[in-house]
Amino acid sequence: MQVGGFGNVNQIGALAQQNQLDNLVSVSIRGWTNATQQDLLNFISRKTRISVRNSVVQGDTIVGYVTPQEADQLVKFSGYRFAGNSLKIHKAVGGNTNPNTNDTITVLRNVLLRRYNVQTRMLDLGNLFNDPELVQRGMAPKNVNTQSKMFPAMMKVASKEPSMVVESINLSDNNLRDVNGVTTLAQTFPHLKNLCIANNSISRFHSLEVWKNKFKELRELLMMNNPITSDRLYRTEMLRIFPKLVILDNVVVRDEQKLLSIYSLPVQQTQFFFEDNGLASSSTDFITNFLNLWDSNRMQLMGLYTPQSQFSLSVDSSVPAATVPNAQTTPTFGHYLPFSRNISKISSDKTIQERLRIGPEAIYEVFGSLPMTKHFLQEQPDAYSVQAWTFPQVQGFVITLHGHFDETAKPEIDKSKASQGSSASRGRRYNHGFTSTPNIKLSQKSFDRTMVLVPSPNGSVIIASDSLTIRPFCDSAWSKPPSPSQPQAQPVQLQPQMNVPLSQTPPNTSSIPGQIPGVLGSTPLQFSPEVQAKLSPEVQAKLSPVQLELLQKLHLETKLNAEYTYMLAEQSLWNYDNAIQGFRNSANNLPREAFV
Amino acid sequence: MNRQPQIVETFVKKVLAHLDEPDPAKLEQFLQLFNPHQCKIIFNSQPFGQAVQFLQAWQTGVVLTQHVITAVDFHVIPGTGTLLCNVNCKVRFDESGKDKNGQDSTVPANSQDSQSRPGQGSINSRSLDKPRPIWGTYYGVSLQLVLEDRIFTNDLNGVISSMNYTIVFKPSDSLMSI
C-alpha cells in the first residue's frame, strides 16, 4: 500500500477495509465433513485463489465471507470433489448474515438453559439429536462427525454462561462411539462431579485417555450399555483415568473416607495463627505500622534496631511451577542478589559473614539499597498470612509474615549502578536514568519475613532478628474468599508511632475492651452492610444456637451491623457482659459504618 | 573457621529428610530432635500442642513427600543460647492415591479377581519393592525453626523449641487439597 506520509493514512486504510467488509457477502459450504474446517479452507484457497474470511461452523455447514465477485466464482466451484464428497456452495440470500451467527448462539444458549436444572446443578445433554429445537433448526447432530462440530460450539456458549453452575452432566443416548467430539467438556467443566455417558457405543479405553488427569473431582461415572463395560480391565482403567472416582455404574469402587484422607493434609490451612489474643492485636498493629513505614520511610524504622539487632535477606530464586496461579516465570533479583545470604547457595564463609548486618547503620545500608515498595495489607488482607508465637528464651515473640509487594521505585542508594561499570552508566545517562538492564527491572515479588521481637524496658519493642526471603511472585496458597469468621484478617488502624506496648501481655478478658477500637477502627469491610444480624451461611453453620442468640441480643443492644456484632462477640469470647462492656468502652471510636 | 552455616544447613536437611521418611519405625529418632517439655509446632497456621501429636498426624495422615531446600538463613540470637532459622523449600506429594503404607482407597472388587489385582501377587517374591510414588507438582513452603545453639556442639537432643511450617503457594494441577 502506498503511504503518502499523511497523518491520517491509517484511518484511510481502516475506512477502506471497513467499506470492503460492508460489501462482503456470505457463502455457505456443505459436504466437507470428512475433513477439518482448515483443510477445506486451504483446499478452496489452493484451487480458486479465494480466501474465505471469518468462517464459522454451523452444524454441518461452514459459513464465511467473500466479496460478491468471489462469491460468483465460488458458486461455480460447487460440485467439486473434496475428501470423497462433492461440495455444495451457496451464496447467502441476504447481504449480511452476521445475525445468523448470533442466531446460532441464541439457539444453542436456549437449548442449554432449557436443559439446565438450577436445583440439581445438572445439565442434561442426553439424546441431543432428537432435541426438537435443534432438529427444527437443522442443527441436530446426526452422526459423530457433525456432533464434533456442534458440541464444542455448545461448550463455548456454556462457558460464557456464568449463571450455570454445573456439577452433573448427562450425555446418555448420543450415539457416541468415542469421546473425541465431546472432549471439550473437560475444559468447560473441569470441576464436574457426576457424569453419565450411558447408552452410547464407546468401546475402547483409548478414547477416554484424553480425559486422563482432567475431571479431578469426578466422583460418579455412569457408563452402562457401552461395549467398554464388558472389558476385563474396565474397572481398573476407570480407576486409573479418574483419580477421585468413588462410584462407577452405581457400585462403590473407592472408600471415600480413605480417599479424602489420602488427598488432604491433617489440618486445613488457615491464614492466621496467634498464640493468644494479646499477641493477635499487638502483632497486627506492629506489622501494619512496620510495613507502612517500610513503604514510606525506612529511616524511621531504625529506632527499632539496637546495636545487637541482626538483619539479613535471602533470595529464593527457584521459579514456581507454571501451574501455580499467576506465577512469575522470569523473576529478576538484581537489586537483592548483592545482599542475599542464602547459605544453601553461597559457599564462601566470608560472604556469609559479611551479609549478616548487625546494628542500625549496617542494616540501613541494606534497607536503603532495596527497591521502594508498596504492600497491600489494607487493600488485600487475604493476600497475607501471619503466624505469631511466644519465644520464652528472649521473653519476646516471633512474627512471621508471608505475602507480596510491588516494587514502586529504584532504591534510594543505587548499589547496582556502581557495580555496572562505566559502559553501563553511560547507557544510563543516555536512557535518562532508566536502566534497561532486564535483571533490575521493577516487578511484584512474594516474600516471607520473620522477626524476633523483644519488649524493651520503656514499653516499646525492639527487633532482635529480622530475616527476609524474597521469591518470585505468585498467588498465595491460603487465599480464600473473605469470610467474617476471621475478623483478625481486617487490617488494623495505623498508629502514629511504632511504640507497641508489649511489656505486659494482658490476659484474654481484660484485653478485650482495649482491643476493639484498635481492630474495629480499620478500613471499611468488604461485606455489604446488612441491616439484620445476618452472616454468611457458612459462618452461621459453625455457630451454636446459643451463639446465634447472643449475636441477636448484642445486635439489638448495640445496633452494630452483622460483621461488627460478630467481631465484638468473638473478641469477648462469646460473653455477653464482656461484649457490652467492651462496646461501651469503644463505642465512640467506632466508624459510622459499624452501625446499622 | 566458622562451621555454623554448614551445621545449620545439614540440620535443616536432616529435619526435611525426617519429614520425607515413610518408615514409622524411624519416628522415634525424629521425635528426639524436639524439646520434650515445651515445643510449639504450627503447621499451616494450625497449632499442635506437642511434637508427638504432629509427628503422628504427619506419619499417618500425609502421603509420602519429597522436600527440596531452596533457601536457608539463620541468626544466632546473642545471650539466649538460641538461633532462629528461616528456610524456604519446595515439597511435592505422592499423588498415586496410596498412603505411606502403600494402601490405597480402592474397594476390592467382589468378583474372582479380588485377590489378584494385576501384578500384586506375582511380585511377592520381591515384596520389598514398594510401589513407585507418582510425584505431583511442587508446592512452596516457608519454614521457621527456633533451635538451641547446642546443635553447634553436635548435641541434637531436644534442640527444636518451635517450628512453623507454612505452605505459601500451591499448583492448580495438584490432586491434594490443603
Side-chain angles (χ1 to χ4, degrees), chain A residues 86-208:
Chain A
S86 59
L87 292 174
K88 296 182 185 65
I89 303 177
H90 296 283
K91 206 154 73 165
V93 213
N96 191 349
T97 45
N98 265 337
N100 268 350
T101 318
N102 289 333
D103 208 34
T104 310
I105 293 170
T106 316
V107 172
L108 290 179
R109 191 166 171 270
N110 286 344
V111 172
L112 280 170
L113 292 179
R114 178 163 46 81
R115 286 166 165 266
Y116 174 59
N117 182 328
V118 187
Q119 270 81 45
T120 56
R121 298 187 165 182
M122 157 122 166
L123 181 59
D124 185 352
L125 299 176
N127 202 358
L128 276 176
F129 57 93
N130 282 332
D131 185 282
E133 195 169 353
L134 289 177
V135 168
Q136 191 203 337
R137 298 278 176 163
M139 283 157 63
K142 291 180 192 62
N143 58 49
V144 181
N145 278 329
T146 47
Q147 218 161 1
S148 71
K149 312 291 189 269
M150 198 272 311
F151 196 81
M154 194 174 232
M155 285 300 104
K156 184 146 192 183
V157 175
S159 65
K160 288 180 180 154
E161 217 47 63
S163 61
M164 274 183 9
V165 181
V166 177
E167 285 181 358
S168 310
I169 283 186
N170 177 19
L171 273 172
S172 59
D173 303 291
N174 274 317
N175 287 1
L176 294 172
R177 280 158 59 196
D178 52 46
V179 297
N180 290 340
V182 295
T183 167
T184 45
L185 200 64
Q187 278 98 62
T188 314
F189 302 108
H191 305 295
L192 196 68
K193 292 197 171 72
N194 308 295
L195 175 64
C196 172
I197 40 179
N199 303 336
N200 283 297
S201 319
I202 297 169
S203 59
R204 287 188 301 163
F205 298 124
H206 181 71
S207 87
L208 289 167

Side-chain angles (χ1 to χ4, degrees), chain B residues 48-69:
Chain B
F48 282 81
Q50 284 169 342
V52 65
Q53 288 171 349
F54 170 72
L55 295 188
Q56 273 169 359
W58 184 267
Q59 186 64 40
T60 56
V62 183
V63 295
L64 201 61
T65 55
Q66 202 172 58
H67 286 83
V68 180
I69 288 181

Side-chain angles (χ1 to χ4, degrees), chain A residues 319-570:
Chain A
V319 179
T323 51
V324 175
N326 290 319
Q328 217 172 27
T329 48
T330 52
T332 56
F333 297 103
H335 287 299
Y336 305 94
L337 281 171
F339 306 102
S340 175
R341 190 176 180 253
N342 179 353
I343 62 174
S344 72
K345 294 283 191 295
I346 293 164
S347 51
S348 153
D349 283 333
K350 189 162 159 278
T351 313
I352 291 173
Q353 212 146 11
E354 275 172 4
R355 290 183 178 174
L356 176 66
R357 299 300 177 117
I358 304 175
E361 291 80 21
I363 291 173
Y364 187 74
E365 205 194 333
V366 184
F367 282 11
S369 306
L370 301 179
M372 299 308 291
T373 55
K374 167 89 180 100
H375 291 75
F376 300 92
L377 218 51
Q378 309 264 346
E379 298 87 339
Q380 308 164 24
D382 295 327
Y384 295 84
S385 169
V386 180
Q387 295 87 38
W389 68 100
T390 54
F391 187 172
Q393 292 95 329
V394 302
Q395 293 167 334
F397 52 93
V398 189
I399 298 181
T400 297
L401 169 70
H402 316 275
H404 72 92
F405 59 82
D406 270 6
E407 293 170 346
T408 54
K410 286 191 300 163
E412 287 168 6
I413 312 168
D414 199 342
K415 265 257 173 172
S416 52
K417 179 170 65 183
S419 62
Q420 269 176 6
S422 60
S423 64
S425 59
R426 194 175 63 224
R428 279 171 54 83
R429 196 163 64 232
Y430 287 166
N431 284 333
H432 303 282
F434 289 100
T435 58
S436 49
T437 321
N439 71 339
I440 54 171
K441 73 171 188 235
L442 302 175
S443 65
Q444 275 182 309
K445 294 278 185 297
S446 287
F447 73 95
D448 309 287
R449 191 164 194 163
T450 301
M451 296 196 229
V452 176
L453 302 185
V454 183
S456 74
N458 63 9
S460 67
V461 63
I462 59 161
I463 301 175
S465 152
D466 178 358
S467 67
L468 174 63
T469 304
I470 303 287
R471 49 188 172 83
F473 176 79
C474 61
D475 280 2
S476 56
W478 56 83
S479 45
K480 283 167 191 136
S483 110
S485 66
Q486 291 171 341
Q488 320 91 300
Q490 299 314 316
V492 173
Q493 186 181 31
L494 297 183
Q495 289 176 355
Q497 45 178 328
M498 291 298 299
N499 292 346
V500 186
L502 291 164
S503 38
Q504 73 283 27
T505 306
N508 290 349
T509 41
S510 70
S511 76
I512 286 142
Q515 209 185 322
I516 290 163
V519 176
L520 297 194
S522 58
T523 53
L525 299 162
Q526 301 97 321
F527 316 111
S528 63
E530 295 265 2
V531 182
Q532 285 292 321
K534 275 187 188 157
L535 293 157
S536 68
E538 62 272 20
V539 176
Q540 280 199 4
K542 282 188 218 148
L543 294 173
S544 68
V546 180
Q547 287 177 316
L548 283 170
E549 200 190 329
L550 175 75
L551 281 180
Q552 191 61 34
K553 251 170 90 184
L554 276 178
H555 169 67
L556 290 173
E557 182 69 29
T558 61
K559 299 282 181 280
L560 285 170
N561 69 21
E563 287 76 35
Y564 279 81
T565 310
Y566 182 89
M567 283 157 76
L568 181 65
E570 179 150 290

